[in-house]
Amino acid sequence: MVADTSYYDALGVPPTATELEIKKAYRKLAIIHHPDKNPGDETAHARFQEIGEAYQVLSDEELRKRYDKFGKEDAVPGGGFEDPSEFFGMIFGGNAFVDLIGEISLMKDLTTTMDITMQQMEEEELAASAEEKLNIHDEQEHAEGTAEGAAPAASTPAESTTAASEKPAASPSSGTSTPRRYMGQQAIMDKSEEEARMEAAGLSQEEKELRKKEKKKGGLSREQQERLAAYELERKKAREERVNTLATKLVDKISVWTETDKSPEMTRAFEEKIRLEVENLKMESFGLEILHAIGATYVQKATSFLKSQKFLGISGFFSRLKDKGTLAKETWTTISTAIDAQMTMEEMAKLEERGGEDWTDEKKAEYEKKVTGKILAAAWRGSKFEIQSVLRDVCDQVLGDKRIKLDKRVERAHALVIAGNIYSKAERDPDEEGDFMAFEQLMAESMTKKGKEDKKKKKKHEHHHEEPTATA
């Protein structure tokens, strides 16, 4: 018996679950419940926090023992719980790849940006609430004023009408407060909804004009724009530090070959060292995908550098053009994959709302699997784009450091080609493809289905255009 089961319940596993089962459950739930994948759902953040906390305890052998015996209070990590947005990065390689790619910041950047931009909606809701209260208050005062200045019960309808029509024109010094209230209410009625909201928020005329200009610029307040600009500077600085650190580590890694006589024996020893590294890394979550991304970048950048030296920079110029073309293609692939995931989620939401006999449990499970796969694909594409972008800068720094002699930089390029080719060719044996690779397979299935659907559409489109020719 365990003292508490809430963490197990959060991950949907029994207290007897193995480490592998706990890891699989967390990966699936973290993807489904990430706040960025559930815009407008106020409970998503809390669920994501709960899932992350549960996994951090249950994935640690010592913490899990203390939790099983004493419950939550006695199972808090020494340094406190990690930020789930950073912890989410474990799905793509985790800490095992830190020395090669650093920490993936995609989810953290998205979450922070969303927190800042969501502030505008919260402010508008508060302003709308204040406006509503102001209108209710004015209506109450107007009703009281009307009651105070009402005509006697015995007056005729005509007299009542005349008296009522004269009230708005009454002098402010007449002692009645009705004209002030009427004018205040009329002023609110004459304002646009946005102006009334700003009035309710107590903004000065200068602030109102500034808000209007900011609205035209994209709906963000000056404070939000400043916060986003500050975060962008912070992010840029963090990226520079990441590139510098990775460049230093990469030089140290390849120095076991570049700082030797580079004999066949030393080359084989270097290759064996890289292969041993691959053997461990390939078993991580998305390990093969990350290794292939690293390898492709190393080979591309190093080959480009070597060609530029051989052909006096001419080949290097064309290689840079090729790099730009590759970057444009990767950008489009990343965006289109995210759009595809979004469309599938919307399609599932519509089917679920419609319900009916066709929306069976089996159909729902099929769509949940499909959506999870496409979300994974979108998250991976974004992470891969980030990884390769950072590594391009790392390679440029390692190969373009003019303080280092050219012949030494050429040696570095050759070392990158050797390592890059081994990373690019990494693969798993059939018996290594266990259940813990389920998410990679889920993503692959969703991408394969998309490819088949695209081919069908293309074939149908071609057939449609061929028909008029056939009948001519």
Side-chain angles (χ1 to χ4, degrees):
M1 289 291 291
V2 295
D4 184 19
T5 63
S6 55
Y7 282 156
Y8 293 104
D9 295 339
L11 296 180
V13 296
T16 55
T18 64
E19 183 183 348
L20 181 57
E21 289 169 337
I22 288 170
K23 183 179 286 189
K24 283 174 61 180
Y26 167 71
R27 289 180 187 175
K28 181 178 180 181
L29 293 172
I31 291 165
I32 294 172
H33 296 299
H34 194 279
D36 293 338
K37 303 297 181 290
N38 297 275
D41 185 351
E42 296 177 0
T43 65
H45 183 70
R47 288 201 307 273
F48 188 61
Q49 291 273 4
E50 185 183 14
I51 292 164
E53 186 176 312
Y55 181 68
Q56 288 176 67
V57 170
L58 299 183
S59 63
D60 184 299
E61 187 178 353
E62 186 56 38
L63 284 178
R64 185 178 178 182
K65 285 179 182 177
R66 278 159 43 192
Y67 171 70
D68 287 347
K69 193 171 183 179
F70 305 108
K72 285 185 179 182
E73 299 301 320
D74 243 44
V76 178
F81 288 104
E82 295 180 43
D83 182 350
S85 64
E86 295 177 3
F87 207 65
F88 184 74
M90 289 191 67
I91 291 175
F92 300 112
N95 294 328
F97 281 90
V98 168
D99 288 342
L100 283 170
I101 64 174
E103 292 184 4
I104 298 174
S105 64
L106 176 69
M107 290 302 170
K108 182 182 179 182
D109 292 341
L110 286 173
T111 304
T112 303
T113 303
M114 181 179 285
D115 287 344
I116 294 171
T117 53
M118 286 292 285
Q119 178 191 341
Q120 179 70 18
M121 293 177 66
E122 292 171 3
E123 287 179 355
E124 288 182 358
E125 287 173 3
L126 287 172
S129 177
E131 177 192 347
E132 186 179 350
K133 289 177 182 176
L134 181 64
N135 286 341
I136 292 171
H137 180 67
D138 275 0
E139 286 171 6
Q140 288 174 342
E141 284 194 337
H142 181 58
E144 290 169 6
T146 304
E148 288 171 8
S155 62
T156 64
E159 288 172 337
S160 298
T161 305
T162 303
S165 65
E166 288 175 353
K167 279 188 185 340
S171 170
S173 60
S174 62
T176 176
S177 60
T178 306
R180 177 180 62 78
R181 292 173 189 129
Y182 176 85
M183 289 167 67
Q185 188 179 23
Q186 185 63 44
I188 288 176
M189 290 170 67
D190 289 342
K191 288 182 176 70
S192 70
E193 183 182 347
E194 180 62 25
E195 288 173 329
R197 187 177 291 129
M198 290 191 287
E199 184 79 25
L203 299 179
S204 67
Q205 186 61 35
E206 186 180 345
E207 288 172 322
K208 290 176 191 174
E209 292 301 322
L210 186 61
R211 276 286 181 93
K212 287 178 183 177
K213 288 178 183 177
E214 288 166 350
K215 277 283 182 184
K216 290 177 183 176
K217 288 179 182 177
L220 296 179
S221 68
R222 180 170 60 180
E223 182 190 354
Q224 283 175 296
Q225 290 172 8
E226 288 172 352
R227 285 180 64 194
L228 282 174
Y231 182 68
E232 181 59 28
L233 285 175
E234 180 187 324
R235 196 175 71 84
K236 186 178 179 182
K237 183 181 177 183
R239 181 190 170 92
E240 288 174 358
E241 291 175 354
R242 179 179 173 186
V243 169
N244 291 337
T245 301
L246 292 176
T248 301
K249 289 180 177 180
L250 181 55
V251 169
D252 288 343
K253 179 191 288 288
I254 61 179
S255 66
V256 298
W257 185 77
T258 59
E259 302 306 314
T260 67
D261 59 7
K262 291 166 283 294
S263 63
E265 292 77 15
M266 292 306 301
T267 301
R268 280 195 294 271
F270 177 59
E271 289 174 341
E272 187 59 29
K273 186 177 186 299
I274 300 296
R275 288 195 184 95
L276 285 173
E277 182 185 28
V278 166
E279 284 301 305
N280 292 322
L281 293 176
K282 73 179 184 180
M283 301 310 293
E284 294 294 328
S285 176
F286 280 82
L288 277 186
E289 287 78 5
I290 297 173
L291 285 168
H292 294 165
I294 295 170
T297 307
Y298 282 1
V299 171
Q300 184 183 27
K301 296 300 290 186
T303 303
S304 173
F305 176 80
L306 292 171
K307 285 181 178 178
S308 70
Q309 302 308 313
K310 187 175 181 180
F311 298 105
L312 304 176
I314 297 173
S315 180
F317 170 75
F318 287 109
S319 293
R320 284 192 292 275
L321 285 180
K322 186 179 178 183
D323 281 353
K324 288 184 178 179
T326 302
L327 186 63
K329 184 180 178 182
E330 287 172 358
T331 303
W332 169 245
T333 304
T334 301
I335 293 170
S336 62
T337 307
I339 291 172
D340 183 46
Q342 183 66 32
M343 289 175 66
T344 307
M345 289 169 70
E346 290 173 0
E347 183 184 347
M348 179 179 173
K350 286 177 183 177
L351 287 171
E352 193 162 22
E353 187 178 350
R354 192 184 304 156
E357 294 179 1
D358 293 336
W359 189 244
T360 60
D361 289 342
E362 290 78 10
K363 192 75 173 175
K364 184 179 179 181
E366 179 189 333
Y367 260 87
E368 284 178 347
K369 184 179 178 182
K370 187 178 180 182
V371 167
T372 303
K374 292 197 174 185
I375 290 174
L376 263 172
W380 163 242
R381 287 291 186 185
S383 298
K384 180 185 177 185
F385 187 87
E386 178 188 327
I387 290 167
Q388 293 192 307
S389 175
V390 167
L391 291 185
R392 286 190 188 99
D393 289 350
V394 170
C395 290
D396 285 340
Q397 188 165 312
V398 169
L399 301 175
D401 188 351
K402 296 296 183 0
R403 296 170 300 177
I404 307 299
K405 290 182 179 180
L406 180 58
D407 59 349
K408 181 59 66 179
R409 286 186 280 139
V410 168
E411 289 175 358
R412 288 179 176 182
H414 282 298
L416 286 179
V417 171
I418 293 171
N421 280 326
I422 295 172
Y423 289 142
S424 297
K425 295 173 183 176
E427 57 183 12
R428 299 189 191 104
D429 296 330
D431 58 341
E432 292 175 331
E433 294 284 353
D435 289 340
F436 56 99
M437 300 301 167
F439 293 100
E440 289 89 325
Q441 291 164 5
L442 196 61
M443 182 188 77
E445 285 174 13
S446 72
M447 297 303 288
T448 302
K449 286 177 182 176
K450 184 178 183 294
K452 287 179 180 177
E453 288 169 7
D454 289 344
K455 283 181 181 178
K456 282 181 182 178
K457 287 179 183 177
K458 186 178 179 181
K459 192 173 180 181
K460 187 177 180 181
H461 181 71
E462 289 172 351
H463 180 67
H464 176 72
H465 282 278
E466 286 172 1
E467 281 180 353
T469 307
T471 55

